[in-house]
Every structure is written in structure tokens, then in C-alpha cells.
Amino acid sequence: MSTNDTADPAPPPQAVIMQMVMGSWIARLISEVSRLDIPDKLKAKGAQTPAELISGGVGVNEMALTRVLRACASFGLVSESKAGKFGPTELSDVLTADAPGSVKVIAEEVAGTWLRMWGPLDEGIRTGEPVARNVFGMEWWDYLNANPEELERFGESMKSNSLNSLKGVLENCDFSASTRIVDVAGGFGHMVVALLEKYPRMEGALLDIPQLIPVAKEKNPVADPSVAARLEYVGADMFEAVPAGDLYILKHIMHDWTDELCIRILKNCHQSMQGEGRLICVDSVLPPLGAASGTSAKLLDVSMMLFIRGKERTMEQWEQIYEAAGFRIVSVTPLHDNFGTSIVEGAKA
């Protein structure tokens, strides 16, 4: 027997392209396997055959499940044995509901409802306008508000996406001198609750649309009475006004809106800000032209183009909207998370 220690040659360009274009197929497999709770079942009971998974409550065709899991094993989502059992891996673990930093819901949404928005990509490129109306018959935010279950899943996916960002803010920012935080468009309120837990003398307000406030109270109940006593829920329009505070945090919010609307939000923060105050925006910072990096943030930027009239921004574009609202950027801290997020801190100019 002879062996060849020569490293495998790099795949030719056409093979690389084919791997890339089949990426949407992989995304759909990940989404559906997650929706079936297979990662959770493998984590709970270990490697299982498709028949065992089905007897455990996965209501699908056995041969179809075998073919799907075999494909998933080829890119490491699950393990595969000669006995026909499929087991958990590090990748499947982050698709379980209780995993630290779980991406279960957002993975399901990205390759599910959100992927539908990429269908009319040709139209989005041609017009430069969002395509949600073509897909859902209404604009994206109107669709969410008209479908409470979708709105709830959107909130859950944002929670999943923001866990690393929240951790990054807690580890990189010192808010011990702040007295009142306003979590602007804060969803279920995980950020403001975490900060109130860390800073026992701080008060806080969670601002979001009125429809989301009762969902936030249900999905993220505050167990600590001392935290609950310092938290105010505000159902209101951030484009009209924001509550008073000396610390404003907008996590994964600014990329949803045009420059004009972002400036309006930031001006409202500036107007209501007590004392010198601090402004924290947590969002992607795109590399400048000529830097072929930041793939995740750049793909997210295209999604913003297709979904709504938002966008990811370069450092120069961040400086422009801060300055227009009366702020200056004092620091930018990269978090190296799923979407190349950074903490963009501002102070009154």
C-alpha cells in the first residue's frame, strides 16, 4: 500500500462557485432541521437513527429524513455512523434552544421567512427599492404588525442575534456613572434588564412600539423585584420623542432606517438627554471601499436593501449621521460577532 502525503489541491473556480450557489440549499436544510427540533433531541438522547427520531416525535418521512441528515452530516451539522445513527456536534449544539448564544430561531428565520425576501433580488437591484410588498403584499413592518406570530418570532430572532452584542456591551462599557438608561426600540428588553442587574443604582426605560410591550413582559419577565421596580415600559414612537435619560442605547436599530430617519431618532435622544450623557449605537461598521472583508455585514446590508430602506454604514457614514444630530463619535469597539457588529459611542458635540 502506498500513501500520498501531498495536500489536496485547491478546488477549481467552478467548484468553488458551485459550493457558493448551493449555500441556499444548506441554509434551508439547517432551518428545517432546527424547526424539527432535531438538534435538541440529539443533545438530549445522543445519536439516533431516523426511525428513533420519528418514534420520539419528529413527524416526517423516514427515508426523507435519512437523506436530509446524511446531507447535513456532509457539512458537519450532525455526525454520521456506519450503523445509520446521526449524532450531535458543536454546530448542532448552537441550534438547541437552551445553548448559550443559541442561534436556533434566527437561523430558522434567515433561511425561512427572510430568505423569501431574496427571491425578487433582481427587482431590488433594478429599482433599489425594498421588495417586501412583492412577497407579502405589504411593507415589512406592516406585515409583522399584521401577523402577531411573525412579530413574536422576529423578536425572538433579534434576541438570539443580540446575545453576543449584549455580552460585548456589558464587557466593554463602564456605565457606573450613568443614572438612567433608555433602551430605544429594545425589543424584549434584555439589554436594559441586564444593565439594571449589573448597576443596582441605575434606573431604566424600555421603549418600543405599543404592540411589543406586552410581548416583552411575557417573554422576558423580570424576576428580581429590585430590578422590576427600576424599569419603566414605554410604548411609543421613537420618531416622535424618547424618554429622558443620560444613557441611550440603540442595539441593531440604526441599520433599519434611512439617514434622515436615523438623524431624527438621534436628535430626539439629543433633545431628551440629561446632562452630558452618552449615546451607544450597536451595529455593523462596514470596511471602506477597497477592503474586501466583512462578508456577513455586507450580506446583511443587501438584506436591508431588500427588506426595508435601511443599510449598514461605513465609519464615514456613521460620523455624518452623528454630527447631523449634534453628537461626535468618541470610540468604536468591534465585537467580532455574527454580523461584524461594533459599539459606536457618541457624546454631545
Side-chain angles (χ1 to χ4, degrees), residues 12 19 32 59 62 96 107 143 180 207 210 236 246 251 268 274 277 304 319 331 334 349:
Q19 290 171 1
E32 292 310 310
E62 183 178 345
T96 59
Y143 171 72
R180 180 174 168 82
L207 169 68
D246 62 349
K251 180 165 56 64
N268 287 339
Q274 298 171 326
M304 294 299 102
E319 289 172 342
S331 68

Side-chain angles (χ1 to χ4, degrees), residues 23-279:
S24 61
W25 299 357
I26 293 175
R28 291 293 295 127
L29 286 170
I30 293 171
S31 177
E32 292 310 310
V33 165
S34 179
R35 286 180 189 276
L36 292 170
D37 291 329
I38 289 175
D40 289 279
K41 294 180 183 300
L42 296 180
K43 184 176 184 178
K45 294 187 176 182
Q48 300 172 63
T49 65
E52 289 169 336
L53 286 166
I54 290 169
S55 67
V58 180
V60 297
N61 177 273
E62 183 178 345
M63 181 52 67
L65 183 58
T66 300
R67 295 165 73 173
V68 163
L69 291 179
R70 185 175 59 190
C72 289
S74 73
F75 55 84
L77 185 66
V78 295
S79 65
E80 178 182 3
S81 73
K82 291 181 179 180
K85 289 195 172 189
F86 297 92
T89 66
E90 289 184 351
L91 296 182
S92 69
D93 184 68
V94 299
L95 289 172
T96 59
D98 61 353
S102 172
V103 293
K104 175 178 172 60
V105 179
I106 192 170
E108 294 170 6
E109 290 295 282
V110 165
T113 301
W114 298 4
L115 190 59
R116 292 172 60 190
M117 302 278 274
W118 281 72
L121 175 61
D122 55 339
E123 167 119 2
I125 296 174
R126 183 176 62 82
T127 66
E129 294 293 322
V131 299
R133 187 171 291 276
N134 295 18
V135 178
F136 302 115
M138 61 185 76
E139 301 300 333
W140 173 245
W141 298 123
D142 294 333
Y143 171 72
L144 289 181
N145 290 330
N147 294 272
E149 289 187 5
E150 284 283 5
L151 179 63
E152 184 175 329
R153 284 190 64 80
F154 180 76
E156 286 287 351
S157 65
M158 291 300 96
K159 166 192 169 183
S160 172
N161 180 49
S162 67
L163 287 177
N164 282 336
S165 301
L166 187 156
K167 182 173 181 284
V169 170
L170 292 175
E171 292 178 352
N172 289 279
C173 298
D174 180 6
F175 297 136
S176 55
S178 300
T179 58
R180 180 174 168 82
I181 173 183
V182 180
D183 192 358
V184 181
F188 292 171
H190 292 90
M191 175 65 77
V192 64
V193 170
L195 288 174
L196 293 181
E197 289 173 344
K198 182 174 181 178
Y199 299 101
R201 288 181 289 186
M202 180 187 285
E203 295 183 349
L206 171 63
L207 169 68
D208 216 303
I209 58 175
Q211 301 96 311
L212 197 61
I213 294 299
V215 181
K217 292 179 179 179
E218 176 189 352
K219 292 295 180 179
N220 188 32
V222 182
D224 187 338
S226 69
V227 172
R230 292 179 282 122
L231 175 59
E232 177 187 7
Y233 291 91
V234 181
D237 185 350
M238 64 184 173
F239 297 108
E240 297 297 326
V242 298
D246 62 349
L247 170 62
Y248 289 86
I249 294 187
L250 298 98
K251 180 165 56 64
H252 303 303
I253 302 303
M254 303 304 283
H255 72 165
D256 289 341
W257 308 103
T258 63
D259 289 349
E260 178 185 3
L261 291 176
C262 284
I263 292 169
R264 185 184 303 178
I265 298 168
L266 296 184
K267 281 186 174 180
N268 287 339
C269 294
H270 191 282
Q271 182 175 348
S272 297
M273 185 173 282
Q274 298 171 326
E276 292 302 313
R278 299 169 73 179
L279 172 71

